[in-house]
Amino acid sequence: MQGICTLGNDVVYDQLVALLNSIDAILGPETPVCVFPFDEKLERLTAEISRRPNVSLYDNQEIIAQWDEFMAGASPASINRQYRIYGGHRRFCAFTGPFEQFVYMDADTLLMSPLDVIFKKLDEYDCVVYDFQFLHPEKVYNVKSPKLTQVFPQELIDSQIFCSGFYATKRGVFDQDKCQWLLSNLQEGGEVEVLYPTGDQPVLNYMFMRSGIPIYNCAYHFPKTIATGNSVTSSHFEEKDHILYDKGNRLTYLHYIGIAPCVMQAVCQGENIDFPYRDLFLYYRYLHEPEKRPIFTTPGVDYNANSRPSLLKRILRKLNLSR
Protein backbone atom coordinates (compact mmCIF):
# COMPACT_ATOMS: atom_id res chain seq x y z
CA MET A 1 0.00 0.00 0.00
CA GLN A 2 1.25 3.45 -0.96
CA GLY A 3 0.50 6.69 0.84
CA ILE A 4 1.71 10.11 1.89
CA CYS A 5 3.04 10.90 5.34
CA THR A 6 3.42 14.26 7.01
CA LEU A 7 4.02 15.78 10.42
CA GLY A 8 1.95 18.37 12.22
CA ASN A 9 0.22 20.01 15.14
CA ASP A 10 -2.05 23.01 15.65
CA VAL A 11 0.83 25.44 15.13
CA VAL A 12 1.10 24.41 11.46
CA TYR A 13 -2.64 23.86 11.06
CA ASP A 14 -3.09 26.27 8.13
CA GLN A 15 -0.07 24.89 6.31
CA LEU A 16 -1.22 21.33 6.81
CA VAL A 17 -4.72 22.09 5.50
CA ALA A 18 -3.15 23.63 2.41
CA LEU A 19 -0.99 20.53 1.90
CA LEU A 20 -3.93 18.16 2.32
CA ASN A 21 -5.99 20.21 -0.12
CA SER A 22 -3.17 20.16 -2.68
CA ILE A 23 -3.07 16.37 -2.36
CA ASP A 24 -6.85 16.31 -2.92
CA ALA A 25 -6.47 18.46 -6.03
CA ILE A 26 -3.52 16.64 -7.58
CA LEU A 27 -4.01 13.01 -6.54
CA GLY A 28 -7.66 12.88 -5.50
CA PRO A 29 -9.46 12.99 -2.12
CA GLU A 30 -9.18 9.23 -1.68
CA THR A 31 -5.36 9.34 -1.41
CA PRO A 32 -4.25 7.77 1.91
CA VAL A 33 -2.45 10.23 4.18
CA CYS A 34 -1.02 9.64 7.64
CA VAL A 35 -0.21 12.57 9.93
CA PHE A 36 2.38 12.03 12.66
CA PRO A 37 1.98 14.18 15.79
CA PHE A 38 4.74 16.73 16.41
CA ASP A 39 3.51 17.10 20.00
CA GLU A 40 0.23 17.10 21.95
CA LYS A 41 -1.15 20.35 20.49
CA LEU A 42 -3.63 18.59 18.24
CA GLU A 43 -7.14 19.90 18.95
CA ARG A 44 -7.74 21.73 15.65
CA LEU A 45 -5.78 19.17 13.68
CA THR A 46 -7.77 16.26 15.10
CA ALA A 47 -11.04 17.99 14.21
CA GLU A 48 -9.82 18.59 10.66
CA ILE A 49 -8.69 15.00 10.18
CA SER A 50 -12.05 13.71 11.40
CA ARG A 51 -13.63 15.40 8.38
CA ARG A 52 -11.28 13.64 5.95
CA PRO A 53 -11.87 9.89 5.62
CA ASN A 54 -8.62 9.42 3.71
CA VAL A 55 -6.47 10.99 6.48
CA SER A 56 -5.45 9.32 9.74
CA LEU A 57 -3.62 10.59 12.82
CA TYR A 58 -0.91 8.22 13.98
CA ASP A 59 -1.38 7.28 17.63
CA ASN A 60 0.85 4.27 18.34
CA GLN A 61 2.41 5.64 21.51
CA GLU A 62 4.81 2.72 21.88
CA ILE A 63 6.39 3.39 18.48
CA ILE A 64 6.42 7.15 19.10
CA ALA A 65 8.25 6.55 22.40
CA GLN A 66 10.77 4.30 20.66
CA TRP A 67 11.67 6.99 18.14
CA ASP A 68 11.76 9.65 20.86
CA GLU A 69 14.33 7.50 22.65
CA PHE A 70 16.26 6.91 19.43
CA MET A 71 16.47 10.63 18.70
CA ALA A 72 17.57 11.38 22.24
CA GLY A 73 20.55 9.10 21.67
CA ALA A 74 21.25 10.04 18.06
CA SER A 75 21.19 13.81 18.34
CA PRO A 76 24.23 15.88 19.30
CA ALA A 77 21.98 16.93 22.19
CA SER A 78 22.97 13.64 23.80
CA ILE A 79 26.46 15.04 24.38
CA ASN A 80 25.75 18.78 24.32
CA ARG A 81 22.65 19.80 26.23
CA GLN A 82 22.38 23.27 24.69
CA TYR A 83 20.47 21.75 21.77
CA ARG A 84 16.83 20.97 22.29
CA ILE A 85 15.25 17.92 20.67
CA TYR A 86 12.06 18.88 18.86
CA GLY A 87 9.27 16.63 17.60
CA GLY A 88 10.36 16.69 13.97
CA HIS A 89 11.94 13.26 14.30
CA ARG A 90 8.52 11.70 14.79
CA ARG A 91 8.32 11.47 11.02
CA PHE A 92 10.58 8.43 11.57
CA CYS A 93 7.51 6.56 12.83
CA ALA A 94 6.65 6.05 9.16
CA PHE A 95 9.43 3.46 9.00
CA THR A 96 7.11 1.27 11.05
CA GLY A 97 3.92 2.99 9.88
CA PRO A 98 0.89 2.05 7.79
CA PHE A 99 2.35 2.26 4.27
CA GLU A 100 4.65 -0.19 2.49
CA GLN A 101 5.85 2.68 0.32
CA PHE A 102 5.38 6.32 1.18
CA VAL A 103 6.31 9.86 0.30
CA TYR A 104 6.98 12.07 3.27
CA MET A 105 6.11 15.77 2.82
CA ASP A 106 6.62 18.54 5.37
CA ALA A 107 3.53 20.48 6.39
CA ASP A 108 4.94 23.59 4.70
CA THR A 109 4.88 22.02 1.24
CA LEU A 110 2.32 21.90 -1.55
CA LEU A 111 2.03 19.03 -3.99
CA MET A 112 2.27 20.21 -7.60
CA SER A 113 2.43 16.96 -9.60
CA PRO A 114 1.38 13.31 -9.48
CA LEU A 115 3.97 11.12 -7.79
CA ASP A 116 4.12 8.28 -10.31
CA VAL A 117 7.76 8.97 -11.21
CA ILE A 118 8.78 9.05 -7.54
CA PHE A 119 7.02 5.80 -6.65
CA LYS A 120 8.32 4.08 -9.80
CA LYS A 121 11.88 4.88 -8.74
CA LEU A 122 11.18 3.05 -5.47
CA ASP A 123 11.18 -0.15 -7.54
CA GLU A 124 14.92 0.43 -8.00
CA TYR A 125 15.94 2.37 -4.88
CA ASP A 126 14.98 2.38 -1.20
CA CYS A 127 15.12 6.18 -1.00
CA VAL A 128 14.11 8.75 -3.61
CA VAL A 129 14.43 12.50 -3.09
CA TYR A 130 14.15 15.67 -5.17
CA ASP A 131 16.07 18.71 -3.96
CA PHE A 132 19.39 20.54 -4.11
CA GLN A 133 20.50 20.14 -0.50
CA PHE A 134 23.60 18.30 -1.72
CA LEU A 135 24.95 21.69 -2.75
CA HIS A 136 25.00 22.73 0.91
CA PRO A 137 26.47 19.86 2.97
CA GLU A 138 27.30 22.26 5.80
CA LYS A 139 23.59 22.30 6.72
CA VAL A 140 23.60 18.55 7.27
CA TYR A 141 27.09 17.61 8.41
CA ASN A 142 29.93 19.21 10.32
CA VAL A 143 32.17 19.75 7.31
CA LYS A 144 35.00 20.89 9.59
CA SER A 145 35.19 17.52 11.29
CA PRO A 146 38.12 15.39 10.02
CA LYS A 147 36.02 12.34 10.87
CA LEU A 148 33.41 13.20 8.21
CA THR A 149 35.42 11.85 5.27
CA GLN A 150 36.39 8.84 7.37
CA VAL A 151 32.71 8.00 7.77
CA PHE A 152 31.54 8.93 4.27
CA PRO A 153 33.47 9.09 0.99
CA GLN A 154 33.52 12.58 -0.49
CA GLU A 155 31.58 11.26 -3.48
CA LEU A 156 28.61 10.44 -1.24
CA ILE A 157 28.81 13.78 0.54
CA ASP A 158 28.65 15.49 -2.85
CA SER A 159 25.71 13.48 -4.18
CA GLN A 160 23.62 11.78 -1.47
CA ILE A 161 22.71 14.56 0.97
CA PHE A 162 19.03 15.52 0.86
CA CYS A 163 16.43 17.77 2.48
CA SER A 164 14.17 16.06 5.00
CA GLY A 165 11.13 18.00 3.75
CA PHE A 166 10.41 15.56 0.91
CA TYR A 167 11.56 11.98 0.41
CA ALA A 168 10.15 8.63 -0.61
CA THR A 169 11.09 5.34 1.01
CA LYS A 170 9.73 2.07 2.38
CA ARG A 171 8.46 0.64 5.60
CA GLY A 172 11.01 -1.50 7.39
CA VAL A 173 14.22 0.02 6.06
CA PHE A 174 15.17 0.75 9.68
CA ASP A 175 14.38 -1.96 12.20
CA GLN A 176 15.40 -1.98 15.87
CA ASP A 177 18.63 -3.87 15.23
CA LYS A 178 19.76 -1.37 12.62
CA CYS A 179 18.79 1.54 14.85
CA GLN A 180 20.86 0.12 17.70
CA TRP A 181 23.81 -0.30 15.35
CA LEU A 182 23.47 3.32 14.23
CA LEU A 183 23.30 4.52 17.84
CA SER A 184 26.41 2.53 18.66
CA ASN A 185 28.32 4.19 15.82
CA LEU A 186 27.13 7.62 16.88
CA GLN A 187 27.82 7.18 20.58
CA GLU A 188 30.61 4.68 21.14
CA GLY A 189 32.14 5.35 17.73
CA GLY A 190 32.04 9.11 18.25
CA GLU A 191 30.44 9.70 14.87
CA VAL A 192 27.91 12.11 16.37
CA GLU A 193 30.51 14.83 15.81
CA VAL A 194 29.98 14.64 12.04
CA LEU A 195 26.36 15.78 12.37
CA TYR A 196 25.19 19.35 12.01
CA PRO A 197 24.44 20.11 15.64
CA THR A 198 20.67 20.35 15.69
CA GLY A 199 17.50 19.04 14.06
CA ASP A 200 16.36 15.73 12.65
CA GLN A 201 17.56 16.34 9.07
CA PRO A 202 21.22 15.47 9.82
CA VAL A 203 20.15 12.35 11.70
CA LEU A 204 17.92 11.20 8.84
CA ASN A 205 20.71 11.70 6.30
CA TYR A 206 23.13 9.83 8.53
CA MET A 207 20.67 6.95 8.95
CA PHE A 208 20.41 6.36 5.22
CA MET A 209 24.01 7.07 4.28
CA ARG A 210 25.61 5.16 7.17
CA SER A 211 23.36 2.16 6.42
CA GLY A 212 24.63 2.09 2.84
CA ILE A 213 21.19 2.72 1.39
CA PRO A 214 21.60 4.28 -2.08
CA ILE A 215 19.68 7.54 -2.46
CA TYR A 216 18.33 8.55 -5.85
CA ASN A 217 18.06 12.32 -6.12
CA CYS A 218 16.03 13.45 -9.11
CA ALA A 219 17.62 16.91 -8.95
CA TYR A 220 21.08 15.34 -9.17
CA HIS A 221 20.35 12.71 -11.83
CA PHE A 222 17.70 14.28 -14.07
CA PRO A 223 18.96 16.21 -17.11
CA LYS A 224 19.22 19.92 -16.39
CA THR A 225 16.61 20.53 -19.09
CA ILE A 226 13.89 18.83 -17.04
CA ALA A 227 15.01 19.08 -13.39
CA THR A 228 13.05 21.64 -11.39
CA GLY A 229 13.53 23.57 -8.20
CA ASN A 230 11.13 23.39 -5.28
CA SER A 231 11.85 26.27 -2.89
CA VAL A 232 9.98 29.55 -2.47
CA THR A 233 13.38 31.21 -2.55
CA SER A 234 13.26 30.69 -6.32
CA SER A 235 11.41 33.67 -7.74
CA HIS A 236 11.29 32.60 -11.38
CA PHE A 237 8.58 29.93 -11.18
CA GLU A 238 5.59 30.59 -13.42
CA GLU A 239 2.04 29.79 -12.32
CA LYS A 240 -0.65 28.38 -14.58
CA ASP A 241 -3.97 27.06 -13.29
CA HIS A 242 -2.59 26.99 -9.72
CA ILE A 243 0.42 24.88 -10.72
CA LEU A 244 4.01 26.13 -10.79
CA TYR A 245 6.47 25.57 -13.63
CA ASP A 246 10.23 25.95 -13.72
CA LYS A 247 11.26 26.97 -17.25
CA GLY A 248 8.31 25.05 -18.63
CA ASN A 249 8.70 21.99 -16.41
CA ARG A 250 6.05 21.28 -13.80
CA LEU A 251 7.26 21.28 -10.22
CA THR A 252 6.79 18.13 -8.16
CA TYR A 253 6.24 20.16 -4.98
CA LEU A 254 6.77 23.62 -3.55
CA HIS A 255 8.49 24.04 -0.19
CA TYR A 256 7.71 27.19 1.81
CA ILE A 257 11.00 26.85 3.60
CA GLY A 258 11.88 29.82 5.78
CA ILE A 259 8.30 31.09 6.11
CA ALA A 260 7.49 30.89 9.82
CA PRO A 261 4.22 29.16 10.76
CA CYS A 262 3.14 32.27 12.67
CA VAL A 263 3.32 34.25 9.42
CA MET A 264 1.00 31.75 7.74
CA GLN A 265 -1.37 31.89 10.71
CA ALA A 266 -1.42 35.66 10.74
CA VAL A 267 -2.15 35.86 7.01
CA CYS A 268 -5.04 33.42 7.41
CA GLN A 269 -6.39 35.69 10.16
CA GLY A 270 -6.33 38.72 7.86
CA GLU A 271 -2.85 40.18 8.41
CA ASN A 272 -1.58 41.54 5.10
CA ILE A 273 1.90 40.03 5.17
CA ASP A 274 3.40 39.20 1.81
CA PHE A 275 5.62 36.20 1.15
CA PRO A 276 6.61 34.32 -2.03
CA TYR A 277 3.77 32.50 -3.75
CA ARG A 278 1.30 33.66 -1.09
CA ASP A 279 -1.72 33.57 -3.42
CA LEU A 280 -0.95 29.98 -4.33
CA PHE A 281 -0.81 29.04 -0.65
CA LEU A 282 -4.12 30.81 0.01
CA TYR A 283 -5.73 29.12 -2.98
CA TYR A 284 -4.98 25.66 -1.60
CA ARG A 285 -5.57 26.63 2.03
CA TYR A 286 -9.14 27.67 1.16
CA LEU A 287 -9.70 25.26 -1.72
CA HIS A 288 -12.79 23.75 -0.07
CA GLU A 289 -14.00 26.93 1.61
CA PRO A 290 -13.10 29.88 -0.66
CA GLU A 291 -15.65 32.09 1.08
CA LYS A 292 -13.39 32.08 4.17
CA ARG A 293 -10.33 33.31 2.32
CA PRO A 294 -9.16 36.54 4.02
CA ILE A 295 -9.73 39.93 2.45
CA PHE A 296 -6.90 42.26 3.37
CA THR A 297 -7.80 45.76 4.56
CA THR A 298 -4.45 46.98 5.85
CA PRO A 299 -1.23 47.96 4.01
CA GLY A 300 0.95 45.03 3.08
CA VAL A 301 4.20 44.19 4.86
CA ASP A 302 6.94 42.00 3.44
CA TYR A 303 7.61 39.02 5.73
CA ASN A 304 11.33 39.42 5.09
CA ALA A 305 11.52 43.17 5.65
CA ASN A 306 14.14 44.78 7.84
CA SER A 307 11.49 45.07 10.54
CA ARG A 308 10.90 41.32 10.55
CA PRO A 309 11.91 40.68 14.20
CA SER A 310 9.44 43.28 15.52
CA LEU A 311 6.87 42.12 12.97
CA LEU A 312 7.10 38.54 14.19
CA LYS A 313 6.83 39.65 17.81
CA ARG A 314 3.66 41.57 16.97
CA ILE A 315 2.24 38.54 15.16
CA LEU A 316 3.04 36.25 18.06
CA ARG A 317 1.36 38.61 20.51
CA LYS A 318 -1.74 38.81 18.36
CA LEU A 319 -1.90 35.03 18.08
CA ASN A 320 -1.34 34.69 21.85
CA LEU A 321 1.83 32.72 21.20
CA SER A 322 4.09 35.10 23.09
CA ARG A 323 3.87 37.28 26.17
Side-chain angles (χ1 to χ4, degrees):
M1 181 180 180
Q2 295 176 337
I4 295 178
C5 296
T6 188
L7 179 77
N9 63 4
D10 287 350
V11 174
V12 296
Y13 172 82
D14 293 299
Q15 293 160 292
L16 193 56
V17 170
L19 169 61
L20 294 175
N21 288 346
S22 73
I23 294 170
D24 284 355
I26 303 299
L27 299 182
E30 70 287 346
T31 305
V33 180
C34 184
V35 181
F36 296 93
F38 185 92
D39 55 24
E40 289 70 46
K41 300 174 183 176
L42 300 168
E43 184 177 353
R44 296 182 71 197
L45 185 57
T46 300
E48 179 66 31
I49 289 174
S50 70
R51 295 189 286 267
R52 296 174 182 261
N54 63 310
V55 183
S56 62
L57 180 64
Y58 190 80
D59 63 355
N60 188 323
Q61 296 302 314
E62 180 180 356
I63 298 298
I64 291 173
Q66 287 178 7
W67 285 108
D68 284 354
E69 183 178 356
F70 172 83
M71 188 63 181
S75 169
S78 62
I79 59 172
N80 189 336
R81 294 298 175 181
Q82 69 174 317
Y83 298 111
R84 178 182 171 189
I85 297 175
Y86 294 91
H89 66 277
R90 289 183 172 179
R91 73 190 71 199
F92 300 167
C93 294
F95 296 131
T96 44
F99 305 129
E100 295 177 11
Q101 296 182 332
F102 63 89
V103 171
Y104 172 84
M105 301 183 68
D106 267 350
D108 62 344
T109 59
L110 293 176
L111 186 63
M112 292 280 100
S113 288
L115 295 170
D116 299 6
V117 172
I118 304 297
F119 278 117
K120 186 173 177 57
K121 275 295 175 185
L122 282 181
D123 293 336
E124 305 173 56
Y125 296 85
D126 286 338
C127 184
V128 181
V129 301
Y130 199 161
D131 65 78
F132 291 88
Q133 188 66 57
F134 61 86
L135 297 176
H136 302 282
E138 71 280 359
K139 297 298 184 181
V140 172
Y141 293 123
N142 176 11
V143 295
K144 295 181 180 180
S145 170
K147 189 183 286 287
L148 180 59
T149 51
Q150 298 172 19
V151 177
F152 301 120
Q154 189 65 47
E155 179 184 359
L156 293 186
I157 297 171
D158 294 338
S159 63
Q160 299 282 286
I161 288 171
F162 65 96
C163 173
S164 62
F166 179 98
Y167 56 92
T169 185
K170 303 171 184 177
R171 182 174 60 201
V173 292
F174 297 107
D175 57 22
Q176 289 192 3
D177 289 342
K178 184 171 288 186
C179 287
Q180 288 303 313
W181 177 76
L182 290 167
L183 286 176
S184 177
N185 289 325
L186 286 166
Q187 296 172 348
E188 286 82 27
E191 294 180 7
V192 69
E193 77 169 57
V194 309
L195 301 182
Y196 185 77
T198 188
D200 55 274
Q201 178 169 279
V203 175
L204 182 66
N205 272 263
Y206 176 88
M207 290 166 66
F208 276 102
M209 291 175 62
R210 191 66 174 88
S211 300
I213 298 174
I215 301 165
Y216 184 89
N217 191 332
C218 300
Y220 185 85
H221 290 288
F222 280 5
K224 292 183 179 180
T225 53
I226 65 171
T228 70
N230 58 66
S231 173
V232 294
T233 57
S234 297
S235 59
H236 65 277
F237 299 150
E238 298 179 348
E239 181 179 343
K240 181 180 179 181
D241 297 328
H242 312 296
I243 300 296
L244 291 183
Y245 294 82
D246 185 351
K247 300 177 182 177
N249 297 305
R250 185 170 174 171
L251 268 64
T252 298
Y253 69 101
L254 179 67
H255 195 175
Y256 285 87
I257 191 166
I259 313 296
C262 64
V263 171
M264 300 289 206
Q265 289 184 54
V267 168
C268 291
Q269 293 186 15
E271 291 273 336
N272 192 1
I273 305 169
D274 195 25
F275 56 84
Y277 307 104
R278 184 184 72 171
D279 286 346
L280 188 68
F281 165 75
L282 290 172
Y283 170 79
Y284 285 104
R285 167 61 182 87
Y286 295 99
L287 181 69
H288 299 315
E289 45 187 8
E291 72 283 357
K292 294 184 180 179
R293 180 169 172 167
I295 298 174
F296 302 110
T297 58
T298 59
V301 177
D302 191 305
Y303 87 105
N304 207 24
N306 292 332
S307 61
R308 187 183 182 197
S310 59
L311 171 66
L312 291 182
K313 287 181 181 179
R314 179 167 60 84
I315 294 171
L316 290 171
R317 284 196 302 269
K318 184 167 185 177
L319 296 173
N320 294 320
L321 296 176
S322 178
R323 295 180 181 179

